[in-house]
Amino acid sequence: MPRTALLVSGALLAALLPLSAVSGAARAADAADDPAPVPVDRFEGEVPFAAQPADGIFTWGGDADDPPALHLADRADAPEGAKVLTGSYDISGYGGFTHDFAAGGPAHDWSAHRGIRFWWEGRNNGRKIAFEIKDGGANGEASELWTTSFTDDFTGWKRIEIPFTDFAYRTDYQPVGGIDHVLGLTRMWGYAVTLPAGTKGDFAMDDVELYGRADQSLRAAVTTDAPVRPVRAGGTVRVKVTLATTGDRPVDDPVTVTYATEGGTATAGRDYTPAEGTLTFPAGTASGATRTIEVPTRESKAAAAAKTIPLKLAVTGAKAPAETPQIVIDAHGLPYLNAELPVRKRVADLLSRMSLQEKAGQMTQAERGAVGGGGDIATYALGSLLSGGGSTPTPNTPGAWARMIDGFQLRTRANRLQIPLIYGVDAVHGHNNLSGATIMPHNIGIGASRDPRLAYATGSVTAAEVRATGIPWDFAPCLCVSRDERWGRSYESFGEDPALVQSMETMIQGLQGRADGRDLSRNDKVLATAKHFAGDGGTAYGSSTTGTYTIDQGVTTVTRQQLEDIHLAPYKTAVRRGIGSVMPSYSSLDIAGDGKGAVKMHARGDMINGVLKGRMGFGGFVISDWNAIDQLPGDYPAHVRTAVNAGVDMMMVPYGYKDFGATLVGEVKAGRISEKRIDDAVSRILTQKFRLGLFEHPYADTSGAAAIGSPAHRAVARQAAAESQVLLKNSGGLLPLKKSQKVYVAGSNADDLGNQTGGWTLTWQGASGTHTRGTTILQGMREAGGNVTYSKDASAPTGGYDVGVVVVGETPYAEGVGDVGNGHSLRLSAADQAAVDKVCAAMKCAVLIVSGRPQLVGDRLGKIDALVASWLPGTEGEGVADVLYGARPFTGQLPVTWPKSESQLPINVGDPSYDPQFPYGWGLTTLTDVPRGGTATLRALGAAATVAERRGDDRAGRALVAEARLLVQQQAGERMTQAVAKPFADAGHLLLTGRYGKAVEKLTEAYRAA
């Protein structure tokens, strides 16, 4: 986050003296041995308004009207020359301007100078203006950002001088994720100004230049080996002090470090032996030289909370450490630290020792990018951090994740009770934030597999890879029941049938282990999160009020029975399976007859306290969604008390953690939130931390890191990709392909790993192209031994081929950004349509649709010989190739209804009127032993299925229904009618609810109508 810059004496002088006097004083201030100032921008027209790769000034902003309007204006009072840069702005999100040096030229070297300065015409509005410089990298838009700010609290022209030592590495955004985190100043690419948002304004600026002689402290720094050094009582801490220089050059002048143990909660002489002295690094000392400071502590048999010993350092000749290192004598002898005690007793003991502020900290979750180096973790006693989508360390490796989280965890040691953090990520289809991780198919593909054992296996692999990077908590699985495929989150759902969603909840055990929580402390298990409670998949199209979203975060309108049967049913199963946390939905719930109208789920105490925690008996904790409380009515205190009183235990307030904590404490002190409610929330959170073993092992156990992205893990993802493929049409048995066939491959998604993995892959929205390790469908076909020619747009000649495979579909999106009507549709792109038309007109063709939801292809279905719903299969394209070439059979079944037109939506199994392109549960097979028979066979299967149902023989019952289903599909062929589709879909639901005899009865009805 930006830090406030210091305005040095030149700025103060400029505010007090006439312009001529200021200019003279500025010239006199340049010492004889200082280099001459170097102009960067004079704003006389020498630098054009232009963008990369050219040298130029350009504007930018969060939306179309956020970029400021810039002009070069003639001004008689210009501090330098005749012109100044002026601008006006009205910024709702973010906006500003940049001067990027030419990307084709060499970077600039600013290392000889003390800092950068410029003239600014103040408006005395008290607003902060952020100023950034661009260091290293390939060019101005692929560099490292270093930031500071100044305050417009003056009137008229003022010279702002900013030493380079005032700039801090920007932690909330980096265009390339960071390079080396060192402000080297030898490869500079320009600067940027971020203007204030929220109200209209204007500005004037002139004469940007480099000034002064470089300070050794800019290129030399003193660091300590850690900001926090825990030690057991009686141990001796050895703090390593290191001198580091940019470019590894020796220092020209001596560097001295005077140190003393002073202050803190430990008592000198009783808890530790005081230490003080001076360390010296003589002139000529090489970078990397170290000295050591020893601080002995005293043994203590009495139980005690942790105590701190600040080690204060005064540095001359180099930059001092950013913060005072803290030695911490660990807490010891307290009951909550005793792993032999039952968890409930440990929780009760710890809770009894906590202050209200410490409890508030446990109920607070911040984003990693907001806490920078982590000092606020101790300051605000934060209980949790998260990585949002795309929020990753640099480099994005397992080791870097573990080091980052260990660094954050180390900060908790400085608090008196040393309560560890619980760190969470959205690992929704594998450890999808981690480069090189195993990426599974999205949930809609897992639902298509109809394989609970596979769901368990994918959860197990995900948990192992997540925990091996030091993360104990996963915001997954999504238990939404997707009722309208225009929803941008529909691929996060296992399907439209609550019974299907319930059957796939074996994933919870894959993530967490046994339902009683005894496996959570293992190094390959994580706390799981059921989301989004409840009804997020049922929002009505057009009901969203969030930005340009059309359906996500909208309103779900239901009767109480519909709510119970469709949207609450998966949570009953999750609670029985021991789910550790639950996340409410952004959406609103409108229950017919309750008189409340549409109420945001984060405010529905009747559902969170009443149904989830009360009737269902949920014993874990409730975590809010990202800034979700900001969508509640009223002022901020109302947001906090409404959500907490409704039963939300931990608040995800990524960048607002300070305000949340202070507001929560204030609401409790005012009596608007009870201490009993706070204690309940904190008890629930602490219970899971104890179960996860975080008090005994707060740091990352990386022993499983070697398995991340391993062949064994990728084999599970490959199986999942294969089982997720749904064969919708297969005229003439075109599939499986033969390796002897000459195959023409085309389409936008044949060779695009990013499109194949979809949203929530390395970044929140995902991206097209190759951004992680994996195999595309085209590569998988080649590795399978296929005789393949590829032409993405089908522009290559199409003659001489036996069969065409056209892989088309969607590009990545996530959440409401992907809502249909928000820049997305259910129709193929023009390029994909053209590829399908050209290839299918030239040869027999199979069309694979790589997408998060059904695509409307009915107008082309007659020209397509084979049609496959491939969903979003993840990184293992070989799994798709496996079924294309027959190494595995097609066995997937539709987890959602495939519509004929958008006007049919929403359309779902069980609807009174049901006439889809393909019904829920449809899925042809390429098994060699497809059963044969007719109505007599179906009668026999029905009788046997009824007997199996009565006996509770689920395995036999499912097998009998599966045989009947294949008979119906064989009979129906390509003649899909409403009379076939409705009973066929109903049978799929009945199968999942264990009513095997009735399922065969419905299939018999469909057979007769075929």
Side-chain angles (χ1 to χ4, degrees):
M1 299 299 289
R3 299 182 183 178
T4 303
L6 299 177
L7 305 186
V8 297
S9 57
L12 178 60
L13 185 64
L16 298 175
L17 298 177
L19 179 60
S20 59
V22 171
S23 300
R27 285 193 298 271
D30 288 327
D33 60 346
D34 280 359
V38 173
V40 177
D41 272 331
R42 298 180 63 239
F43 302 121
E44 298 298 309
E46 78 283 5
V47 178
F49 292 117
Q52 289 278 280
D55 181 52
I57 299 168
F58 65 95
T59 62
W60 39 266
D63 54 40
D65 62 354
D66 279 356
L70 301 183
H71 307 279
L72 294 177
D74 287 304
R75 288 276 294 265
D77 64 343
E80 187 277 337
K83 297 179 185 291
V84 301
L85 179 70
T86 64
S88 59
Y89 57 89
D90 183 8
I91 301 168
S92 58
Y94 63 89
F97 62 93
T98 291
H99 177 186
D100 274 350
F101 301 147
H108 294 213
D109 187 345
W110 293 359
S111 63
H113 295 274
R114 176 178 178 81
I116 191 167
R117 66 188 180 192
F118 49 88
W119 291 93
W120 190 269
E121 188 178 34
R123 301 294 186 259
N124 200 23
N125 54 24
R127 309 185 79 189
K128 290 188 182 301
I129 296 96
F131 190 88
E132 291 178 347
I133 55 178
K134 302 186 170 194
D135 178 69
N139 55 61
E141 295 307 291
S143 58
E144 203 167 65
L145 303 183
W146 290 75
T147 186
T148 186
S149 66
F150 63 95
T151 302
D152 187 343
D153 56 2
F154 52 93
T155 301
W157 287 107
K158 184 177 187 178
R159 176 173 271 175
I160 309 298
E161 290 194 350
I162 309 175
F164 291 131
T165 51
D166 281 359
F167 285 91
Y169 177 79
R170 185 170 172 180
T171 58
D172 59 330
Y173 169 73
Q174 286 289 340
V176 290
I179 299 166
D180 58 8
H181 297 230
V182 174
L183 182 57
L185 295 173
T186 58
R187 289 182 52 80
M188 302 303 296
W189 292 104
Y191 65 88
V193 176
T194 301
L195 296 164
T199 59
K200 293 182 179 180
D202 62 358
F203 73 93
M205 183 181 187
D206 199 15
D207 191 25
V208 183
E209 67 180 16
L210 309 177
Y211 74 95
R213 175 175 176 266
D215 188 341
Q216 179 172 280
S217 63
L218 182 64
R219 67 175 191 84
V222 167
T223 61
T224 58
D225 46 357
V228 178
R229 290 296 307 273
V231 63
R232 290 186 179 183
T236 296
V237 176
R238 293 172 178 83
V239 179
K240 185 182 292 185
V241 179
T242 301
L243 176 66
T245 62
T246 302
D248 292 334
R249 286 170 49 196
V251 290
D252 299 321
D253 303 311
V255 174
T256 61
V257 181
T258 302
Y259 63 90
T261 51
E262 183 180 323
T265 57
T267 302
R270 185 181 70 191
D271 297 318
Y272 69 98
T273 302
E276 61 181 345
T278 300
L279 307 175
T280 301
F281 297 91
T285 301
S287 179
T290 63
R291 304 286 188 271
T292 301
I293 300 169
E294 291 192 355
V295 181
T297 65
R298 306 286 181 86
E299 286 191 25
S300 173
K301 294 183 179 179
K307 297 177 181 179
T308 58
I309 310 167
L311 181 61
K312 297 191 175 180
L313 306 176
V315 181
T316 59
K319 191 174 183 178
E323 58 188 295
T324 299
Q326 296 240 66
I327 296 164
V328 180
I329 303 172
D330 283 336
H332 55 275
L334 300 171
Y336 74 87
L337 296 171
N338 183 357
E340 301 301 317
L341 289 178
V343 167
R344 60 181 177 79
K345 288 189 176 182
R346 299 179 74 183
V347 169
D349 177 69
L350 178 53
L351 191 68
S352 71
R353 300 175 187 277
M354 296 175 70
S355 68
L356 177 58
Q357 286 76 11
E358 287 167 331
K359 292 174 183 177
Q362 288 303 300
M363 295 174 66
T364 307
Q365 184 180 66
E367 218 284 335
R368 59 169 284 277
V371 299
D376 277 358
I377 293 169
T379 302
Y380 297 94
L382 298 179
S384 182
L385 294 182
L386 83 151
S387 278
S391 178
T392 67
T394 303
N396 188 356
T397 62
W401 276 92
R403 288 189 297 273
M404 176 187 73
I405 293 167
D406 282 355
F408 290 141
Q409 202 69 268
L410 179 65
R411 296 291 188 162
T412 67
R413 306 297 89 190
N415 284 337
R416 66 187 189 96
L417 297 172
Q418 297 186 311
I419 303 173
L421 291 167
I422 180 171
Y423 198 103
V425 292
D426 287 277
V428 298
H429 63 138
H431 196 351
N432 44 255
N433 273 313
L434 172 64
S435 181
T438 307
I439 304 299
M440 302 291 173
H442 271 293
N443 281 355
I444 195 167
I446 302 299
S449 77
R450 292 298 200 283
D451 188 345
R453 290 174 296 181
L454 179 66
Y456 174 91
T458 61
S460 295
V461 169
T462 298
E465 296 200 0
V466 168
R467 195 69 183 256
T469 56
I471 300 167
W473 185 15
D474 185 4
F475 305 134
C478 186
L479 301 184
C480 50
V481 182
S482 176
R483 306 293 284 179
D484 189 332
E485 277 57 61
R486 290 172 291 189
W487 186 35
R489 302 194 81 137
S490 58
Y491 63 75
E492 294 187 54
S493 172
F494 292 116
E496 70 186 31
D497 182 356
L500 174 58
V501 175
Q502 288 173 288
S503 72
M504 294 295 108
E505 290 185 52
T506 49
M507 185 178 284
I508 293 172
Q509 260 58 66
L511 292 166
Q512 288 196 168
R514 286 170 286 189
D516 60 5
R518 73 177 76 175
D519 295 331
L520 284 172
S521 61
R522 285 172 37 176
N523 68 355
D524 62 349
K525 295 298 173 190
V526 294
L527 194 74
T529 308
K531 64 182 190 183
H532 305 87
F533 183 83
D536 54 338
T539 51
Y541 189 81
S543 67
S544 181
T545 57
T546 300
T548 57
Y549 295 4
T550 59
I551 186 167
D552 188 34
Q553 304 185 22
V555 180
T556 299
T557 302
V558 286
T559 65
R560 285 204 174 273
Q561 196 60 52
Q562 288 170 330
L563 177 64
E564 291 286 340
D565 293 346
I566 298 173
H567 300 294
L568 287 177
Y571 291 92
K572 297 175 186 175
T573 302
V575 171
R576 287 197 301 270
R577 288 186 172 276
I579 194 77
S581 63
V582 170
M583 182 183 292
S585 176
Y586 281 117
S587 58
S588 300
L589 186 61
D590 188 352
I591 306 174
D594 76 350
K596 297 178 185 291
V599 179
K600 285 284 186 181
M601 277 305 308
H602 282 75
R604 292 214 67 137
D606 59 330
M607 300 301 299
I608 300 173
N609 285 327
V611 174
L612 179 65
K613 293 181 176 179
R615 175 156 60 85
M616 292 185 187
F618 171 60
F621 67 91
V622 176
I623 170 71
S624 86
D625 211 331
W626 180 284
N627 278 336
I629 63 170
D630 290 349
Q631 298 187 7
L632 301 182
D635 58 13
Y636 192 67
H639 298 169
V640 172
R641 67 175 173 267
T642 298
V644 172
N645 286 332
V648 183
D649 301 306
M650 182 186 287
M651 224 61 68
M652 190 186 291
V653 280
Y655 294 91
Y657 58 91
K658 297 176 186 177
D659 288 342
F660 170 73
T663 303
L664 178 59
V665 169
E667 289 298 290
V668 175
K669 288 182 176 179
R672 291 185 285 268
I673 299 174
S674 71
E675 291 194 39
K676 180 179 180 182
R677 170 70 194 103
I678 297 297
D679 286 353
D680 171 62
V682 177
S683 293
R684 290 169 176 270
I685 295 163
L686 293 177
T687 295
Q688 300 303 337
K689 288 187 176 184
F690 280 118
R691 285 180 170 175
L692 285 162
L694 295 176
F695 281 82
E696 288 70 50
H697 303 288
Y699 302 115
D701 179 347
T702 59
S703 58
I708 294 174
S710 65
H713 285 185
R714 290 183 182 274
V716 173
R718 179 173 181 168
Q719 178 187 350
E723 291 193 29
S724 71
Q725 304 299 295
V726 180
L727 184 58
L728 300 173
K729 179 181 178 181
N730 196 24
S731 296
L734 181 64
L735 296 178
L737 303 172
K738 299 177 180 64
K739 292 181 183 178
S740 59
Q741 291 175 307
K742 289 184 66 179
V743 181
Y744 186 101
V745 179
S748 61
N749 288 350
D751 195 33
D752 194 303
L753 194 62
N755 291 353
Q756 189 174 300
T757 53
W760 286 111
T761 308
L762 288 187
T763 59
W764 175 40
Q765 290 295 315
S768 300
T770 301
H771 48 57
T772 189
R773 186 161 61 91
T775 306
T776 66
I777 293 171
L778 174 67
Q779 290 168 337
M781 293 176 69
R782 285 173 171 161
E783 290 178 14
N787 184 357
V788 170
T789 296
Y790 173 58
S791 175
K792 181 177 180 178
D793 60 357
S795 58
T798 55
Y801 292 93
D802 299 309
V803 62
V805 174
V806 191
V807 189
V808 294
E810 296 185 301
T811 55
Y813 54 80
E815 300 190 36
V817 175
D819 286 350
V820 167
N822 190 22
H824 295 267
S825 78
L826 296 181
R827 296 193 175 276
L828 299 178
S829 69
D832 278 349
Q833 291 180 35
V836 170
D837 292 345
K838 183 173 182 180
V839 175
C840 293
M843 65 194 83
K844 290 184 180 296
C845 71
V847 173
L848 276 61
I849 300 180
V850 173
S851 64
R853 52 198 168 193
Q855 303 290 286
L856 302 174
V857 293
D859 57 341
R860 286 173 168 76
L861 195 55
K863 305 172 185 176
I864 296 171
D865 298 290
L867 181 65
V868 179
S870 289
W871 311 113
L872 298 169
T875 50
E876 308 313 300
E878 302 102 322
V880 181
D882 285 341
V883 293
L884 286 178
Y885 280 101
R888 290 179 181 269
F890 279 95
T891 56
Q893 301 172 46
L894 282 180
V896 294
T897 300
W898 198 284
K900 288 181 177 177
S901 68
E902 193 172 330
S903 64
Q904 287 186 314
L905 295 172
I907 182 171
N908 294 288
V909 57
D911 287 353
S913 177
Y914 190 78
D915 186 21
Q917 192 83 66
F918 298 103
Y920 168 79
W922 187 262
L924 305 176
T925 185
T926 50
L927 287 166
T928 55
D929 55 346
V930 175
R932 299 185 180 278
T935 54
T937 302
L938 286 167
R939 281 196 298 272
L941 290 172
T946 300
V947 171
E949 182 180 337
R950 288 173 182 166
R951 291 177 176 173
D953 189 346
D954 292 328
R955 178 177 294 182
R958 287 192 295 267
L960 292 162
V961 176
E963 187 173 348
R965 185 181 69 84
L966 293 176
L967 284 172
V968 174
Q969 289 186 151
Q970 192 174 54
Q971 175 71 6
E974 298 172 22
R975 302 179 303 278
M976 184 56 61
T977 65
Q978 185 174 6
V980 173
K982 182 168 174 51
F984 185 91
D986 290 342
H989 172 72
L990 291 165
L991 166 65
L992 290 166
T993 57
R995 289 174 285 176
Y996 308 122
K998 189 69 174 175
V1000 176
E1001 183 181 318
K1002 284 288 183 181
L1003 288 168
T1004 303
E1005 180 184 336
Y1007 185 90
R1008 287 172 176 157

